[in-house]
Amino acid sequence: MWERTLQDLIRGLRANKNDESKFISQAMDEIRREIKSKDMELKAGAVMKLSYLDMLGYDMNWASFHIVEVMSSPKIHLKSVGYLGAVQSFHEDTDVLMLTTNLLKKDLNSAPADVAVTLNGVSSIMTADLARDLSPDLLRMLNHSRPHIRKRAVAAMYRVFEKYPDALRHGIGRLQEKLEDSDPGVVCATVNVLCELARQNPQDYLPLAPQLFHLLTTSSNNWMLIKIVKLFGSLSPHEPRLVKKLQPPITDLISTTSAISLLYECVHTCIIGNMLQGSNGYSLARMCVSKLAAFLGDSDQNLKYIALLAMVKIVPTHPHLVAEHQNTILSSVDDDDISIRMRALDLLLALVNRDNLQSIVQQLLSHLVKPESSAVPSAVQSLSQHIIPSAPAKSPGAPSQSSAYRLVLSQRIMTMCSQNTYENIADFEWYLSVLIDLAYVSNVDIGSKIRDQLVDVVGRVRAARSYAVKLMVKVLSDDTFLLHAGEPGSCCEVLWAAAWICGEYCTELSAPDELIPYLLQPEIASLSPDITAVCIQSATKLFGYWTSEAAKQWTDGFLEDLKKAVDIMIEQMEGFVSSSHIEVQERAANVLQLLIFIKHDVAMYKPKQENGFSDPNAAAFDPVSEPSCPKSLYLMHPIFASYELNPVASIAQASVPVPDGLDLDAWIVPSMQDVQEHDDGDATERKTKRSKKGKEKESTSKSKVKGAKKKQKEEGYQEELGPQEEETAAEKAERERLKAERLERMRDDPYYIMDARSPKPPAEDIDSIPVIRLDGPLPLPKALAEEPRLPGLRSSASVRSTPPSFVVEREGEMPAGAVITPRSSTPISSSRRPTPNPFDLSATPPPPLSSFQPYEVPDDELRTSTPEPIKVTRAKKKGAGTTKKKRVVKPETETKAEDNSAAVH
């Protein structure tokens, strides 16, 4: 009978491409018949065809027993086929593996050809049971007379150590002997095994250092030298004396070898082995950096990649050496390979400092600018391109146009500038311009981070606020962000920062009324609710500042302009009152009511008739005389400008001390817990009694039981209220005094809602009420009254003779009486930690490092910027009737910055 061979199977597959499944099905039926045959040649041919089909994705696990039969064949060519099938199909869960132990032991003691085939196969099918049973035989093979057997036995021992770690105690000595074997192949295989084993517990292989050092200085095999150098890189951190010993041979290899792979391994070992320290280490570091810089200029992309990776590791110890090749590194950012671009960005992030920050950022910003699309080429241009071939232009999908790459590039630019709380920035006006440029050209969703950076910089750097306000006015007056607000990557969140900065630092503006229409234009309602709410709030701040400034320079001719401005504000604000977002609606409604009040006050205002000898400035600040302007002009600005907004320390909240006598775990009302438990007990008791009643009794005497329950309930209430003691007159007076003190404290608390209604209004004594004129203007804040008013911005950034001195408030404010608790730190034991299992391949990744370092505030530099609250005392007037209370404020205390933008957040 004619059977198909492996060659026939392959020809049939190529001839039946249209109906391959049908042909495979017929072939599998033939293989099932052939593999059950008693002819070992036919059975081995079926295993070969199964091995080929297994590579095509068809299962052959069902033939595992027949494969073992072919493995037991005495003929070497058939035995090889059996081991090939076992390597491809056997795994740890294969049932027939328990039948192969004796077969493998027998083959290991056979002819050298059988031993070689067995060693090749057993390395792939090794299990824990096989490793335990075969380890003595494999150790004996290490002393075989033939080198190729010893080399295969050394490689097989690695699988034994991996599956059965207990064999390492007996086999490491025999493996160490193979480092002095006469055959170079056996020595190379031993070094490979030791290098893999030392990855888990390098310190356990330090006794092998003398033999490995001898091989390092005498061997000329580059592949073995690579493994030895890599092994020393793992051993050096655990034995500092090795560093001084290894520096001369490593330096010699770096300067003389022509093998690129060996050169890179030597450089990498110097980095991870702490060999770049000291005087000798400096020269070695310079040599390593020069070699890596040569890799960057190579045309091989792989060399560029590994050079950038190695330089990232050298920068922390020798940044000045890497900085010498800054232009070469920056040229890698222009590479077409996206992986090389990303590694170059990592290197630039580690390389940046105060001197090179601006040049690096400007070059990175140029990569975000999209090239303008050229017009349709003319006929001459098209013809010239066909005649004179030129370099192909970058496709639209180039890395510089990729959204993912642009996002990473934008994030790296911001990280470079903001790391260590803007440590590398010398000119904050430049950085503010960079943030705005980034918002225009990034075309990715990074607007929220730009917004946070703008607010943080302006809050921390006082000298940059004037320029920031000027820049934000340009942003608000430009409709680019409004027109593209709904598009992805529009960065419209920058409008949030622009509106907030202009509102918070409105004193830097010379004409705040001109900015209000941009903040309240109808297109603002199409933005996200948080941006719209901030625009409303900032417009209110600007209007309040404008009216207060107008009150100081009031003339009767300004009255009509004020009425028009108020009418326009009311008209614009009415459009936001009907918003579907509750935040926008509530802010607009509140502001609208204030504006309506101002409108009525302005309408009732009548200009004074000048008598020729009155002083208008004195009348403006005289609380008794009639004011020269509408009183409501001072209404809004003090609401927002009473306190200065400053940065807060990161540990401020945790450092607030707990007042003496305050137990946060105690009940506010101690009796509530007892009453609740008592009520629960009564309810359980009533439920138990009700369950004992029969249905008959419940139906016949329903009304009686209901009346009894009601009576019992009333008696229970009387019983609870019965044992209360009557308070004496002294106790009642004390209680009234405490209540009065509490009401006085709560009266000035803006977060406490009091009921102003009096249950029993006393009779008024009109004669005892003092006559005081209360219709004068509200007193101006001290800062506004004394500050001179300059036209334009207070410090013009466009024209200046000397650059301003920027001071960054890195620590932030701390609360009064702050108690800084030391951070818990886990002490590091001086003794060596227990090493993990050398064959446990699972590794725990290190925790990710934060891009921003935490702020550390020294104890002697704590700023008590939030002092004690103002103490208010009230003096009582003598009189029989109701007395008016006059508020007396102690002048020695000053209030400090609260977050006057609480309404914004």
Side-chain angles (χ1 to χ4, degrees):
M1 184 177 180
W2 180 78
E3 290 86 8
R4 275 187 279 199
T5 61
L6 178 60
Q7 290 79 6
D8 297 330
L9 178 64
I10 296 174
R11 293 192 190 100
L13 284 173
R14 293 176 179 176
N16 294 272
K17 291 182 179 179
N18 296 331
D19 197 4
E20 182 178 326
S21 59
K22 182 179 179 181
F23 178 80
I24 293 292
S25 178
Q26 294 176 357
M28 291 294 290
D29 293 338
E30 294 178 2
I31 292 173
R32 290 179 186 275
R33 290 194 301 268
E34 293 172 1
I35 206 167
K36 295 178 181 178
S37 174
K38 295 183 179 180
D39 186 1
M40 194 60 67
E41 294 283 349
L42 188 60
K43 191 186 291 290
V47 172
M48 289 183 66
K49 290 188 283 185
L50 274 178
S51 301
Y52 180 77
L53 293 177
D54 181 74
M55 291 186 291
L56 298 180
Y58 296 92
D59 184 33
M60 63 177 294
N61 291 328
W62 56 271
S64 56
F65 183 80
H66 304 288
I67 293 174
V68 174
E69 291 180 339
V70 178
M71 290 169 59
S72 61
S73 175
K75 299 180 180 180
I76 184 63
H77 66 285
L78 301 181
K79 185 184 290 292
S80 301
V81 172
Y83 276 101
L84 175 63
V87 168
Q88 285 195 222
S89 62
F90 285 7
H91 48 82
E92 291 188 359
D93 297 333
T94 303
D95 297 335
V96 298
L97 272 177
M98 64 180 65
L99 305 177
T100 60
T101 303
N102 293 329
L103 173 63
L104 295 174
K105 283 179 172 288
K106 178 183 175 182
D107 290 342
L108 287 175
N109 294 318
S110 301
D114 294 343
V115 174
V117 172
T118 305
L119 289 174
N120 290 341
V122 77
S123 299
S124 301
I125 64 174
M126 187 69 69
T127 62
D129 296 334
L130 287 177
R132 183 188 64 246
D133 298 335
L134 297 179
S135 58
D137 300 278
L138 292 176
L139 288 174
R140 190 166 59 250
M141 291 294 105
L142 294 177
N143 294 330
H144 200 276
S145 58
R146 303 204 175 188
H148 70 93
I149 299 295
R150 298 198 301 272
K151 183 171 62 176
R152 286 179 170 85
V154 169
M157 285 305 299
Y158 173 71
R159 297 289 294 173
V160 172
F161 296 151
E162 185 181 20
K163 298 294 182 180
Y164 183 58
D166 292 343
L168 191 60
R169 295 197 301 268
H170 307 287
I172 189 64
R174 302 290 298 275
L175 204 62
Q176 185 177 359
E177 296 174 0
K178 298 296 106 181
L179 290 175
E180 300 175 357
D181 196 274
S182 58
D183 186 73
V186 178
V187 177
C188 187
T190 306
V191 171
N192 287 338
V193 172
L194 291 174
C195 186
E196 295 299 321
L197 292 175
R199 285 186 176 185
Q200 302 300 324
N201 295 316
Q203 63 276 7
D204 295 339
Y205 299 90
L206 284 173
L208 303 178
Q211 293 174 282
L212 294 174
F213 183 81
H214 175 72
L215 293 174
L216 177 66
T217 54
T218 57
S219 177
S220 59
N221 185 352
N222 285 337
W223 295 112
M224 187 172 68
L225 287 176
I226 290 174
K227 292 293 183 180
I228 294 176
V229 169
K230 187 180 295 186
L231 183 55
F232 273 123
S234 303
L235 299 180
S236 297
H238 301 277
E239 180 52 70
R241 293 176 294 180
L242 275 177
V243 174
K244 187 178 294 186
K245 188 74 174 177
L246 289 173
Q247 281 179 344
I250 293 291
T251 305
D252 184 63
L253 283 175
I254 292 176
S255 57
T256 58
T257 185
S258 59
I260 300 298
S261 55
L262 178 58
L263 176 60
Y264 174 75
E265 286 300 333
C266 291
V267 173
H268 186 258
T269 298
C270 293
I271 297 171
I272 65 175
N274 300 326
M275 300 182 186
L276 304 181
Q277 308 297 329
S279 57
N280 296 333
Y282 181 81
S283 59
L284 183 58
R286 178 172 289 278
M287 182 183 297
C288 291
V289 172
S290 62
K291 293 291 183 180
L292 293 175
F295 286 177
L296 291 177
D298 199 280
S299 59
D300 190 353
Q301 300 291 85
N302 295 325
L303 293 181
K304 290 183 181 179
Y305 187 84
I306 62 176
L308 292 171
L309 284 180
M311 280 188 171
V312 170
K313 299 177 182 178
I314 296 180
V315 165
T317 56
H318 300 82
H320 54 285
L321 294 179
V322 182
E324 295 176 0
H325 307 278
Q326 177 179 328
N327 295 331
T328 307
I329 297 169
L330 282 171
S331 64
S332 300
V333 183
D334 299 328
D335 200 280
D336 294 332
D337 192 344
I338 184 65
S339 60
I340 293 180
R341 286 174 176 243
M342 300 301 294
R343 299 290 76 78
L345 288 177
D346 293 339
L347 181 55
L348 289 175
L349 183 61
L351 186 63
V352 72
N353 55 39
R354 198 177 182 87
D355 298 326
N356 59 16
L357 174 66
Q358 294 192 15
S359 60
I360 292 176
V361 170
Q362 291 300 136
Q363 185 160 352
L364 293 180
L365 275 176
S366 63
H367 289 81
L368 292 173
V369 180
K370 289 186 176 181
E372 297 181 359
S373 58
S374 59
V376 178
S378 63
V380 177
Q381 292 174 345
S382 301
L383 185 61
S384 61
Q385 288 179 359
H386 287 86
I387 296 175
I388 305 174
S390 58
K394 290 186 179 181
S395 61
S400 60
Q401 307 303 325
S402 170
S403 297
Y405 175 73
R406 298 175 71 85
L407 178 61
V408 173
L409 184 57
S410 303
Q411 292 173 344
R412 296 298 169 83
I413 291 174
M414 297 181 65
T415 304
M416 287 178 187
C417 298
S418 62
Q419 61 184 353
N420 298 332
T421 320
Y422 316 105
E423 182 182 21
N424 297 323
I425 297 180
D427 187 357
F428 280 90
E429 295 181 1
W430 166 84
Y431 182 48
L432 291 173
S433 302
V434 167
L435 291 174
I436 298 302
D437 293 341
L438 199 60
Y440 277 104
V441 303
S442 63
N443 291 322
V444 289
D445 294 328
I446 201 173
S448 59
K449 294 186 178 180
I450 297 177
R451 174 198 64 197
D452 297 340
Q453 287 282 290
L454 287 171
V455 174
D456 191 54
V457 169
V458 176
R460 292 182 183 276
V461 187
R462 297 173 181 269
R465 291 175 182 176
S466 177
Y467 180 80
V469 172
K470 179 181 178 181
L471 201 59
M472 296 304 110
V473 170
K474 294 181 180 179
V475 172
L476 291 173
S477 59
D478 187 8
D479 58 352
T480 303
F481 295 107
L482 277 176
L483 295 177
H484 302 86
E487 301 176 5
S490 62
C491 295
C492 62
E493 293 87 354
V494 176
L495 296 175
W496 192 104
W500 187 90
I501 291 172
C502 290
E504 186 65 29
Y505 306 105
C506 56
T507 55
E508 303 289 345
L509 293 170
S510 59
D513 56 316
E514 298 177 0
L515 187 60
I516 295 177
Y518 294 105
L519 293 171
L520 297 180
Q521 54 186 317
E523 291 79 4
I524 294 292
S526 61
L527 300 175
S528 60
D530 56 338
I531 300 178
T532 307
V534 172
C535 288
I536 294 174
Q537 193 77 3
S538 298
T540 309
K541 293 179 181 179
L542 291 173
F543 183 78
Y545 173 67
W546 176 64
T547 55
S548 64
E549 289 291 302
K552 293 192 297 184
Q553 304 172 2
W554 177 260
T555 59
D556 293 337
F558 187 69
L559 183 60
E560 294 299 324
D561 295 337
L562 178 62
K563 290 181 179 180
K564 291 180 181 179
V566 174
D567 291 338
I568 294 174
M569 280 281 292
I570 292 176
E571 181 183 356
Q572 292 175 329
M573 203 63 65
E574 286 176 348
F576 296 101
V577 172
S578 59
S579 174
S580 59
H581 303 285
I582 187 63
E583 181 73 14
V584 177
Q585 183 185 126
E586 185 177 0
R587 288 178 187 265
N590 293 337
V591 176
L592 183 61
Q593 295 302 317
L594 290 175
L595 292 173
I596 292 174
F597 174 79
I598 294 175
K599 179 180 180 180
H600 292 327
D601 184 65
V602 171
M604 295 174 61
Y605 172 76
K606 295 180 181 181
K608 287 183 60 178
Q609 298 294 332
E610 297 184 2
N611 50 14
F613 57 86
S614 61
D615 187 3
N617 294 327
F621 296 96
D622 189 357
V624 179
S625 64
E626 192 72 23
S628 62
C629 63
K631 296 175 292 184
S632 58
L633 297 184
Y634 297 101
L635 177 63
M636 285 190 176
H637 187 56
I639 299 177
F640 305 103
S642 298
Y643 304 103
E644 182 184 5
L645 182 63
N646 295 321
V648 181
S650 59
I651 59 173
Q653 184 67 33
S655 303
V656 176
V658 179
D660 296 336
L662 176 61
D663 186 3
L664 298 178
D665 297 327
W667 280 72
I668 298 177
V669 182
S671 61
M672 288 299 295
Q673 186 176 12
D674 301 333
V675 172
Q676 183 178 1
E677 294 176 356
H678 181 69
D679 292 344
D680 293 341
D682 291 347
T684 306
E685 185 178 354
R686 289 196 297 267
K687 187 176 180 182
T688 306
K689 291 181 179 180
R690 182 178 297 177
S691 61
K692 294 180 180 180
K693 296 180 180 180
K695 292 184 179 179
E696 266 181 46
K697 188 175 180 181
E698 198 174 47
S699 60
T700 56
S701 59
K702 186 174 182 181
S703 59
K704 293 183 179 181
V705 172
K706 186 174 181 181
K709 287 182 179 179
K710 186 176 181 180
K711 186 176 180 181
Q712 183 180 358
K713 187 175 182 181
E714 293 176 355
E715 291 177 355
Y717 288 158
Q718 294 176 358
E719 186 176 343
E720 289 180 2
L721 298 175
Q724 294 182 353
E725 297 180 358
E726 295 183 359
E727 60 180 353
T728 62
E731 292 175 348
K732 185 176 180 179
E734 179 67 16
R735 180 169 57 82
E736 292 295 337
R737 186 184 64 80
L738 295 175
K739 181 179 179 181
E741 291 180 358
R742 178 175 59 83
L743 292 177
E744 289 296 331
R745 289 196 306 269
M746 296 303 181
R747 191 182 303 278
D748 298 323
D749 191 349
Y751 301 102
Y752 185 80
I753 302 175
M754 297 183 62
D755 188 3
R757 296 174 300 175
S758 178
K760 294 181 180 180
E764 296 183 357
D765 187 1
I766 301 177
D767 296 333
S768 63
I769 300 176
V771 179
I772 299 176
R773 296 287 297 273
L774 298 177
D775 51 356
L778 298 176
L780 284 174
K782 185 177 180 181
L784 295 178
E786 296 178 357
E787 242 181 344
R789 186 70 186 94
L790 300 179
L793 296 175
R794 297 196 181 278
S795 58
S796 178
S798 58
V799 180
R800 63 186 188 190
S801 57
T802 58
S805 177
F806 297 104
V807 178
V808 184
E809 298 183 11
R810 290 188 172 88
E811 291 82 5
E813 290 187 350
M814 292 289 291
V819 179
I820 302 178
T821 56
R823 299 182 179 180
S824 59
S825 58
T826 305
I828 302 176
S829 176
S830 58
S831 60
R832 183 167 62 90
R833 294 183 299 174
T835 57
N837 190 333
F839 303 102
D840 185 8
L841 301 181
S842 63
T844 303
L849 297 178
S850 174
S851 57
F852 294 91
Q853 293 185 357
Y855 305 145
E856 297 180 358
V857 184
D859 293 339
D860 54 346
E861 296 182 3
L862 295 180
R863 295 176 53 192
T864 59
S865 55
T866 307
E868 296 294 330
I870 299 175
K871 298 180 180 179
V872 179
T873 60
R874 300 180 184 272
K876 296 184 179 180
K877 297 282 185 177
K878 295 183 179 180
T882 308
T883 59
K884 272 243 181 203
K885 298 181 180 180
K886 185 176 180 181
R887 183 173 302 179
V888 180
V889 183
K890 292 185 178 181
E892 58 268 13
T893 58
E894 293 183 358
T895 56
K896 190 62 180 172
E898 284 186 7
D899 192 358
N900 61 348
S901 62
V904 176
H905 299 291

